[in-house]
Amino acid sequence: MELIRYNRFMRESLVRSYTRSFNGFVAYLTPQEQEKLAGHEKVVSIFPSTTFYPQTTRSWDFLGLAENVHRNPTAESDTIIGVIDTGIWPESESFNDEGFGPPPKKWKGVCKGGNNFTCNNKLIGARYYNSQSPTVDSARDKDGHGSHTTSIAAGNYVKDASFYGIAQGTARGGVPSARIAAYKACNGDGCQTTDLLAAFDDAIADGVDIITISVGGDYPSQLENDVIAIGSLHAFQKGILVTQSAGNRGRVSSVMPWIFTVGASSTDRGIVTKVAIGNGTIFTGKTVNSFSSTGTSVPVVYGKDVSSRCNELSALSCRPGCLDTDLVKGKIVLCSLFGGVKEAFRAGALGSVASQRLFFQSPAVADESSVVPLAASALNPNDFQVVQSYFNSTKSPKLDILKSDSVRNIDAPLVASFSSRGPNIILTDILKPDITAPGIEILAAFSPMGSPSFNPSDKRSVNYSILSGTSMSCPHVAGAAAYVKSFHPNWSPSAIKSALMTTAWKMDPTKDSLAEFSYGAGHIDPVKAVDPGLVYETFTDDYIKMFCSLGYDSAKLSKIFGVNITCSAGQHGRSKDLNYPSMTSYINTSVTFSEYFTRTVTNVGLANSTYKVTTSTSPEYNITVTPNILTFGATNEKKSFDVIISGKINNGKMVSALLEWSDGVRKVRSPIVVYPYNL
């Protein structure tokens, strides 16, 4: 009788089952059904389906991956990057298949992109998912995000690409010869976890080599409730590296060690929009403004003077619905918050000059230019105040908003203000994010159906646009990983990840108070990662051992990992014991500490080689490495070493240190982080 009820429940409630790469299903459940099913011995966990959200011409040159860089074209063409995102615009020049041969023989996927959707020898596969959005009937990208991320990773060379002439150059991905498989699991309403898991299930079975997913939640989750962590674990077990964006909302949400978690940073090119006022003063603001100069004959008005239905504070900032259309038409509006630009556009203004502040009393957001739907510039608060004073003291104020220009950022790379930071609150001894990559003002392919300013009333249609976010940095690392893999097709996901982490550019902790919790091991350097010398490898058994040591239930782990697991009774440990390229320890003291790490490196460089260690120094800590010299006699030989860092915590601040192995040519760098419970 119980079996009959269960079968009836499955027929009536089942939404989707996952069978290609792992076992699971989505179903509509009453609270009573959920409670009963959760008690079944074969069920790992039950959690509600939630919604996650999606998170170039100069960037690859900045990373040292020039157009004429040495490549392995045959292996690169055999590499397949799976992109889980908002779909793809198949007609984009970035995905043209001219010169491409047939798909790699290992490809097992399909082109199910829907009506009027055609794949080719570049875009070899496409699927779409619509568990919560039945109107989605195509893998076609309608908002531009998926096309953008895909072309960053593996877009073709496209000369003279630009956004209305801004950031003009050759757009290209990290691996232009690689193949692409698009999995549309996101749409205008976000990304349903049921669809994300389905996309992982298919991508793994289809035979992709790397998965990039610029998607995440607002907060980190435990393993058994994190669909991206579960999907990427099964990908890892099949030899597939997964890169995921760190997030744009504060706390890093991508926390599991098999995922390559990517923060966003700047390049040496910035985009600015200048504002000239009538007394000859010129201010430099931050927007991507494609509109021609407004000229100085346009009347300038202040938000509070063109609103008849809002209080003064709301009108000053140009809050939604505050501006009167009849009063702003043909004028430039001053708004004390950046969000006012959108309201100025709605009301029909010719242009807007705003403060970079997002909220009153908040710091200015000055490191990112976003596309605006009208002529507009966002000034730092001090400059905006000068413009206000000019407006208030001048009988006929004049103001000109110029089209955007490119400028040189001499302090790049710096981590973006929006890029989510650590510490990792789920696995406290695993450093996240792992690395940073370009994520500010990236020009890449776009959907002509999407609004470049993501404003439905902005009807411009473009093939290339400029976006910022960890969504943009994530596919940079996917492209870099594919580049490394093209030279080392048999390397494990953890070896590729280690190579990119240990060869990353060292970043300056004095420029970021959270140091490694902002940038991880540093800024990617794809060319150096091809020859890292040594790598830190981790395998499924290492992750199992780690979770056992953290007290996870054997039966639950067996179901998550898909293998029989028996954790030893009384086994205790910490995630810091994992053979990870970074070394991190969370301590429950605010004074003195002494932390121990053990690591094993694999020689992937010269067969006969010797590496000597150096460490950073500081009055705040002391580092001892035993042995301090590693001598190898063969390729793939492994050597272990121990690290002890001791010292004291000052004023509740983290300790940021480095360890580096070198054979005189190669430098294998690992960050060491010790931080207190009250950071």
Side-chain angles (χ1 to χ4, degrees), residues 480-496:
Y483 177 72
V484 174
K485 187 175 179 65
S486 70
F487 290 93
H488 306 285
N490 297 321
W491 275 13
S492 67
S494 63
I496 296 173

Side-chain angles (χ1 to χ4, degrees), residues 593-595 597 621-624 643-647 655 657 672 674:
F593 64 87
S594 180
E595 294 299 307
F597 303 91
Y621 60 79
N622 181 66
I623 301 175
T624 302
V643 180
I644 297 176
I645 179 171
S646 57
V655 170
I672 304 174
V674 179

